[in-house]
Amino acid sequence: MSLVPYKEIHQNEYAEEAAQRFTFIRLGSGTAELHGPCPRCGHAIRVPVVDGVYKTFWPRRRNSAGPTPPSGNVRTEDVICTCQEEHPGRQEGQFGCGAFWSLEITTS
Amino acid sequence: MSISIRPGRPMDASDAARAREHQQALRAELPLVREAAHSWRIGLGGLLLALVGFSLIRGPSEVDKVEPPWNVVIGCLLLVSLATGAYGAYRLLSAHNGRPRTRPVDRRTSASTQNHLLALTALKDLRHGIIATFLCTVFLVAAVGTTWYGPEKAKPKLLVRTTTGAVLCGDGATGDGRRLTLKTKPGRVGVPLSDVLVVETVEKCP
């Protein structure tokens, strides 16, 4: 597989492909993972889906910068490619191939 | 339980930046929690050390001066304080260093998720450690307060039996060579020394 260069890019097809190929795995304590291949680079990725991230000294969980889950059992998760493989042009501190898309996860 | 995944809303560059920040926050989460636990451990350890270092309770001799059953209450408070302090120390140490046991190898989940789960456990340890240490302080202060301000143990009393068959009990006895005066519950009572048959000390007046 040839390595696609790093580029921050969003296409509607990414979300459509990811919706078909990704699986959602619950791990407990408000933590889950999305497993599947990145629609752009094809590398297998595992994306954490969490309810909150600790950020401050005060010992309680705060909501992350991510979107707040809507009420009910539907949540929207903004996903970026988090693959570990090299992508030409990727700067330090960046990860993945640069592709991003959004998924709506419904549990019932 | 059924799960369905559908394409979400359209995203722009700012959404991608937020998602990236979120991923970075997840990666930095565990070291942040460990660092916070370290700070709390030092702070609370210092607080307890200062309290114990003041030698607020000098030992059994001080506790024995308190009227029963308060001496037992103090003993129980100290015991509970010790237990909660030890538990708090264990939880704070666990929050800072992790639980003292190995974890099964997990090839299913990503390192970020595993670290997030560890951070959640460490946060729980930190919360419990802080609560337990504060409780330890509260129990310690209660024990010290009871020792200082609890009812003092009653001093031995004098019991006097007279030839007339009367029994006097009290303290603060004084005498002038002819009469013995006792401070009793109803008031001061004097008895001619010639009438005194027996004088004995008792813990409590009958």
Side-chain angles (χ1 to χ4, degrees):
Chain A
M1 186 187 298
S2 62
L3 290 177
V4 294
Y6 181 86
K7 186 181 179 186
E8 290 185 1
I9 183 169
H10 168 69
Q11 290 178 4
N12 290 336
E13 297 80 51
Y14 293 165
E16 283 162 16
E17 189 183 332
Q20 285 177 356
R21 302 186 67 181
F22 271 54
T23 51
F24 184 77
I25 296 164
R26 277 187 179 279
L27 298 164
S29 303
T31 309
E33 264 192 354
L34 282 165
H35 289 194
C38 169
R40 180 169 180 247
C41 69
H43 294 131
I45 56 173
R46 291 177 289 189
V47 183
V49 179
V50 298
D51 282 349
V53 180
Y54 175 85
K55 282 184 174 175
T56 64
F57 185 77
W58 191 243
R60 70 188 176 94
R61 280 179 283 157
R62 293 275 171 92
N63 279 339
S64 66
T68 308
S71 57
N73 295 322
V74 182
R75 69 180 290 160
T76 303
E77 192 68 25
D78 292 344
V79 183
I80 56 170
C81 174
T82 55
C83 76
Q84 304 290 318
E85 279 73 10
E86 283 293 322
H87 288 284
R90 188 169 67 194
Q91 305 292 312
E92 202 177 315
Q94 294 176 323
F95 37 82
C97 69
F100 56 92
W101 61 95
S102 177
L103 293 175
E104 196 178 276
I105 302 158
T106 309
T107 53
S108 57
Chain B
M1 184 200 298
S2 71
I3 296 164
S4 74
I5 303 175
R6 291 184 303 169
R9 61 191 172 83
M11 284 176 73
D12 56 24
S14 66
D15 293 324
R18 266 201 302 276
R20 196 178 310 109
E21 278 169 20
H22 174 54
Q23 290 298 327
Q24 281 163 345
L26 261 176
R27 289 171 189 211
E29 188 183 27
L30 185 58
L32 267 179
V33 176
R34 298 276 193 237
E35 198 184 308
H38 181 63
S39 303
W40 276 99
R41 187 170 64 88
I42 290 174
L44 293 174
L47 173 74
L48 278 185
L49 205 68
L51 279 175
V52 175
F54 268 121
S55 301
L56 297 172
I57 298 175
R58 288 185 182 81
S61 59
E62 204 155 281
V63 178
D64 281 347
K65 288 178 188 167
V66 183
E67 176 87 356
W70 291 103
N71 55 354
V72 179
V73 171
I74 294 166
C76 291
L77 283 171
L78 286 174
L79 193 69
V80 174
S81 170
L82 184 73
T84 49
Y87 176 73
Y90 169 73
R91 296 303 290 256
L92 286 175
L93 283 170
S94 295
H96 180 219
N97 302 303
R99 299 267 174 92
R101 60 169 178 249
T102 57
R103 286 171 55 81
V105 177
D106 185 359
R107 294 191 177 88
R108 200 170 57 118
T109 54
S110 67
S112 284
T113 306
Q114 286 179 38
N115 282 345
H116 174 69
L117 291 171
L118 278 176
L120 291 185
T121 308
L123 260 186
K124 197 173 164 189
D125 284 336
L126 181 55
R127 277 195 300 269
H128 286 199
I130 290 168
I131 292 167
T133 314
F134 276 130
L135 280 178
C136 165
T137 311
V138 168
F139 287 128
L140 188 62
V141 168
V144 171
T146 314
T147 310
W148 286 1
Y149 304 111
E152 269 188 51
K153 203 177 200 175
K155 287 170 187 158
K157 308 282 182 193
L158 269 186
L159 187 94
V160 177
R161 293 180 200 279
T162 64
T163 50
T164 58
V167 177
L168 301 172
C169 186
D171 52 13
T174 53
D176 57 3
R178 283 180 296 172
R179 286 181 76 82
L180 174 72
T181 308
L182 268 183
K183 211 189 287 173
T184 62
K185 251 185 194 169
R188 299 180 78 83
V189 180
V191 191
L193 271 174
S194 55
D195 287 355
V196 172
L197 199 63
V198 178
V199 177
E200 56 185 316
T201 55
V202 287
E203 283 291 315
K204 258 180 148 181
C205 286

